[in-house]
Amino acid sequence: MRCHHKIKAAAYIVVSALLFRWALLALNASSCSLFTPLSVSTADTYATEGGDKFMSPRFEVELDIFSGNPNPSWILSDTEGVLFLKRLAKLRKTSAKELSTNLGYLGFIVRVTNGTEKSLVRIQNGMVLLSQDDTNVYYSDENRELERWLLNSGKSSLNSDLFKIVDIKIPRNP
């Protein structure tokens, strides 16, 4: 059982390093503002009294498609959360653009909770909006790879007909 705790501790260190890297990238990209999304606390903040359990960031993904009915949602695993952050960190910063409010498919909403820190990431039609507190930073998902990856992460949680409808809405890379 001690091996399990070591694996969880190693996973926490990997996720923390990625969150720290992502926060630095966002800080750099936002012209050294005080905006530090998903800031990382020290490991002992997440340790329990026994010192052997760690809390990982939580990534809740919502497919924004229905109006008037609940949207489908799912939780990314720790590994998927790390992959999401890696993909997000690769995007380039862009100018602010208005997100669509039409009916039908509107992309994805990812709610990231890391301790008391909460961030919201909206992915829609090649645009990514990262919001924390009152600060918004925009990124470009030019080939909509992050959007497609999120759709595929929810394949087991989505009705197959709904998956096909959204799959058609996201063009594949040439």
Side-chain angles (χ1 to χ4, degrees), residues 122-135:
R122 293 204 53 135
I123 298 97
Q124 181 188 100
N125 198 24
M127 174 63 58
V128 177
L129 168 60
L130 173 64
S131 301
Q132 185 179 25
D133 300 323
D134 292 331
T135 306

Side-chain angles (χ1 to χ4, degrees), residues 38 55-60 74-76 78 110-115:
L38 301 177
M55 181 175 71
S56 297
R58 177 182 161 98
F59 298 84
E60 181 183 353
W74 58 96
I75 305 296
L76 296 180
D78 290 347
V110 182
R111 290 173 183 81
V112 184
T113 307
N114 185 15

